[in-house]
Amino acid sequence: MGTLTEEIFSRRLGREVHAGEIVVAPVDYAMAHDVTGPLAIEAFRKLDVPLWDPERVIMVFDHILPANTVASAGLHKIVRDFADEFGVTHVFQEGICHQLMVEKGFVRPGGIVVGADSHSTTYGALGCFSAGFGSTDIAVTFATGRTWFRVPETIRINLRGTLPPGIFPKDLALKVIRMLGAEGANYLAVEWGGEAVEAMSVDERLTLANLTVDFGGKAGLCEPDEHTRAYLGEAEVLDLHPISPVYRSVIEVDAEKLEPQIACPPAIDNVQDLSAVEGTELDEVFVGSCANGRIEDLAIVAGYFKGKQVHPRTRTIVVPASKQIYMEALSRGYIQTFMEAGALVMNAGCGPCLGRQHGVLGPGERALSTSNRNYAGRMGSAQAEIYLANPAVAAASALAGAIADPRLLPVPAVAQKTWELVGGRR
Amino acid sequence: MARIFKFGDAISTDAIIPGRYNVTTDPTALGKACFIEARPDFAGSVKAGDVIVGGRNFGCGSSREHAPMAIKAAGIDAVVARSFARIFYRNAINIGLPVIQCDAIYDAVDDGDPISIDIRSGGIDVDGKMFQGETPGPVAVAIMEAGTLIDLIKTRGWAAIEEVS
Ligand code: SF4
């Protein structure tokens, strides 16, 4: 009985669990990466115990890949030495941790997964309870296979109707952030539901679950269904639904009335309709990140770029979220399209999202990004400005050299085809 | 006397320690880079025992534990804020940096005001004016009493948390 979160914890603990309770629960997997991993490893070593399970600890090199300074190479070395010493089997350097957690099958409906990264909420797209933690919490999970949770209350968000062309899950997420504010779901779980979410592919739901933490959410969950089953390539998927749930609040959003939403500097909840900032000149456009670096996102951008040139004022950087996505994009010809259009294509990983490498912003520069963070200093200089938008807006803006409305351009054929390929709704 | 360093709303972990400066696990290096771009004079002017007073959603953004580590290593004894982002709050408690939620104090204090705090009771004294912070939850209290989460788990295991749940 209860919300998706309560259902998951009740099943896991074999008794009825309610929001507000503090529980110590076993987890399926614990993930850390090249920035949070070293601190987790240091804390874990202080406990002076064996690793709980070398096959359930996931280590990913993604935030600075390959290492760009001697200092970051040193961080990688700490992680490698740890993985060797303790026999960690799942060590990856082929994409963003959150994408790999999903692609590699560590995320299951009804599961509980913890990650030393705030966007670990992403796995909720498959009906898994997952939350981000700091390194010390993750170190304790490395040692014991468990962590403590205050089982959160839930905000239910129902997205009514169908998304119009040129409007994407990113716009829905930004709209909700606009309504609730950057701490609107602090300490709470979020359930994403309603017709528009039911129609979404798993890739699209991953964007919603990802952005849940950006308005404070502890977890962002979707009910597993046909799309989940197809995505996992399995005959059946766990029957997991809210049962007579009591929600903290229920929010209805009308998908059909949505305009493209832009998060303007310097805060994720400084959201405007695209029309308010149209024409703002850009020095950089970044397509990628755990929010919008998946194949459907690349398909949209490739569709708009086909046969065109990005604006010479604007360096345009494309970073596929994983090697698998990169290779799929290669085989579909998208990578060639990006390069012919004049975009720079980087290896799979976080890329410029956190301001370390691959397109750091200088003082006074302005970027539009498909990622999820626009704090001052996030992508480089604290005097740079970051706008966040959906991939179609990013594509149209790269072509124009300024924030532009993709709905004024013809719907690209390649994107149309991909939407059909992935069982999309258009 | 400890002094207040006052910050605004939505102080992100990117502002506390930008991604380019957390390429280390060394607390001293993190302390020196604390607020390096948002408030470049910060690390140089903090004296041991000083206190940060923040607005809403303090510590929002990335889960980087480097952020509370940097604040602690810079010499700050506690952070009082109108509200905290969940992961930052938990990280701070885990590493032994006291954090206290208190709404009323924010508009009543200025940068540089003298402050003293009783962490256990949440009582805050700013130049004779008293404020009451919210008392931490039972798990946070258990961790604070042990020092850090690592100390708690090392000495008492999960039983320590199961007892208070
Ligand atoms: S892509 Fe950006 S938001 Fe996602 S994990 Fe990497 S740095 Fe964090």
Side-chain angles (χ1 to χ4, degrees):
Chain A
M1 293 282 282
T3 62
L4 281 177
T5 296
E6 289 168 324
E7 279 292 305
I8 291 171
F9 278 97
S10 296
R11 283 166 196 246
R12 180 59 62 105
L13 295 174
R15 63 182 175 86
E16 210 165 289
V17 172
H18 299 285
E21 276 182 56
I22 291 170
V23 299
V24 176
V27 307
D28 299 334
Y29 293 94
M31 182 279 292
H33 54 63
D34 45 357
V35 173
T36 57
L39 286 181
I41 290 163
E42 285 191 359
F44 169 76
R45 287 186 188 280
K46 283 188 201 151
L47 288 165
D48 198 21
V49 293
L51 199 58
W52 141 66
D53 185 342
E55 292 184 9
R56 289 176 181 273
V57 167
I58 318 291
M59 287 286 173
V60 183
F61 299 97
D62 59 352
H63 278 59
I64 328 168
L65 181 71
N68 59 349
T69 60
V70 173
S72 54
L75 291 184
H76 285 202
K77 180 90 168 69
I78 293 171
V79 176
R80 278 184 208 290
D81 289 349
F82 167 80
D84 287 347
E85 182 181 340
F86 289 90
V88 175
T89 44
H90 301 300
V91 181
F92 301 106
Q93 45 184 346
E94 54 178 275
I96 304 168
C97 53
H98 306 305
Q99 184 60 25
L100 297 180
M101 289 298 287
V102 175
E103 275 178 12
K104 302 285 180 188
F106 301 127
V107 175
R108 310 276 317 153
I112 300 179
V113 172
V114 294
D117 189 280
S118 57
H119 286 105
S120 301
T121 54
T122 309
Y123 328 141
L126 289 137
C128 172
F129 186 92
S130 63
F133 290 85
S135 294
T136 296
D137 271 313
I138 292 295
V140 171
T141 305
F142 284 177
T144 65
R146 298 194 282 167
T147 194
W148 73 272
F149 298 89
R150 187 183 163 281
V151 178
E153 293 179 273
T154 295
I155 300 180
R156 173 80 185 190
I157 299 171
N158 290 319
L159 309 167
R160 299 263 168 247
T162 312
L163 289 178
I167 306 296
F168 297 88
K170 183 64 152 290
D171 301 302
L172 286 165
L174 291 179
K175 177 72 180 183
V176 168
I177 294 172
R178 183 177 187 170
M179 293 165 70
L180 298 184
E183 58 173 349
N186 202 11
Y187 290 99
L188 303 173
V190 171
E191 277 178 23
W192 297 94
E195 289 157 288
V197 174
E198 284 161 22
M200 280 181 196
S201 68
V202 168
D203 270 11
E204 292 181 302
R205 293 175 190 175
L206 287 165
T207 301
L208 293 179
N210 178 275
L211 283 146
T212 305
V213 75
D214 295 298
F215 56 110
K218 184 169 184 173
L221 296 124
C222 301
E223 289 169 54
D225 64 2
E226 274 303 285
H227 294 268
T228 322
R229 191 189 59 68
Y231 186 87
L232 292 169
E234 292 172 8
E236 280 187 43
V237 74
L238 182 73
D239 194 29
L240 179 70
H241 306 282
I243 302 172
S244 315
V246 178
Y247 292 118
R248 167 82 158 243
S249 58
V250 178
I251 287 158
E252 310 279 338
V253 180
D254 188 347
E256 282 161 26
K257 292 207 183 110
L258 273 178
E259 292 286 304
Q261 300 291 294
I262 315 282
C264 302
I268 186 79
D269 55 357
N270 184 17
V271 179
Q272 313 263 354
D273 286 352
L274 183 145
S275 54
V277 288
E278 214 172 339
T280 307
E281 289 185 3
L282 298 169
D283 303 291
E284 180 168 308
V285 168
F286 164 45
V287 175
S289 89
C290 54
N292 282 111
R294 282 173 278 275
I295 194 69
E296 292 179 31
D297 304 313
L298 301 188
I300 293 159
V301 177
Y304 285 102
F305 280 9
K306 186 82 185 164
K308 305 239 179 58
Q309 287 294 304
V310 299
H311 196 282
R313 161 171 62 220
T314 307
R315 47 177 192 279
T316 298
I317 300 169
V318 181
V319 186
S322 72
K323 179 178 91 174
Q324 183 179 309
I325 292 165
Y326 198 128
M327 292 179 70
E328 179 65 21
L330 264 177
S331 75
R332 293 191 197 177
Y334 301 162
I335 301 294
Q336 181 156 359
T337 301
F338 297 145
M339 295 182 78
E340 282 172 355
L344 308 169
V345 183
M346 304 296 183
N347 63 286
C350 297
C353 177
L354 75 164
R356 280 257 179 77
Q357 56 179 356
H358 294 175
V360 175
L361 301 177
E365 285 201 313
R366 200 179 291 127
L368 183 135
S369 163
T370 65
S371 74
N372 40 30
R373 296 245 151 101
N374 63 344
Y375 303 122
R378 171 69 180 184
M379 293 177 69
S381 167
Q383 282 78 50
E385 293 183 335
I386 307 164
Y387 293 80
L388 306 176
N390 77 40
V393 171
S397 303
L399 295 173
I403 298 176
D405 191 340
R407 295 171 302 176
L408 304 178
L409 302 173
V411 175
V414 59
Q416 195 76 56
K417 181 155 155 279
T418 306
W419 288 327
E420 283 158 20
L421 271 176
V422 297
R425 59 204 140 66
R426 290 171 184 83
Chain B
M1 188 71 174
R3 289 169 310 155
I4 290 173
F5 283 78
K6 192 173 177 185
F7 288 83
D9 288 339
I11 299 299
S12 71
T13 55
D14 279 291
I16 298 167
I17 183 90
R20 292 164 301 294
Y21 295 91
N22 67 359
V23 197
T24 175
T25 60
D26 172 25
T28 311
L30 291 170
K32 281 189 185 140
C34 193
F35 288 112
I36 191 161
E37 284 170 356
R39 191 165 170 174
D41 63 335
F42 178 80
S45 44
V46 171
K47 296 212 178 59
D50 286 346
V51 169
I52 286 175
V53 173
R56 302 205 66 85
N57 210 14
F58 190 94
C60 55
S62 125
S63 71
R64 63 187 72 154
E65 206 163 284
H66 311 74
M69 279 176 74
I71 289 173
K72 192 173 178 217
I76 292 290
D77 252 14
V79 182
V80 181
R82 301 183 75 178
S83 62
F84 290 92
R86 169 190 154 262
I87 303 176
F88 179 89
Y89 186 88
R90 195 160 158 148
N91 285 349
I93 297 286
N94 283 348
I95 65 156
L97 172 68
V99 277
I100 299 171
Q101 193 170 319
C102 179
D103 196 62
I105 187 175
Y106 191 78
D107 290 327
V109 303
D110 284 318
D111 218 49
D113 283 356
I115 183 169
S116 75
I117 298 179
D118 179 0
I119 300 300
R120 291 188 69 98
S121 69
I124 305 166
D125 178 341
V126 181
D127 215 3
K129 270 179 286 182
M130 296 301 296
F131 300 91
Q132 181 58 47
E134 287 189 16
T135 44
V139 179
V141 169
I143 297 169
M144 285 197 232
E145 278 171 2
T148 67
L149 178 66
I150 295 295
D151 294 328
L152 181 74
I153 296 294
K154 202 167 171 167
T155 52
R156 300 182 52 208
W158 283 118
I161 289 177
E162 277 160 343
E163 266 168 28
V164 298
S165 66

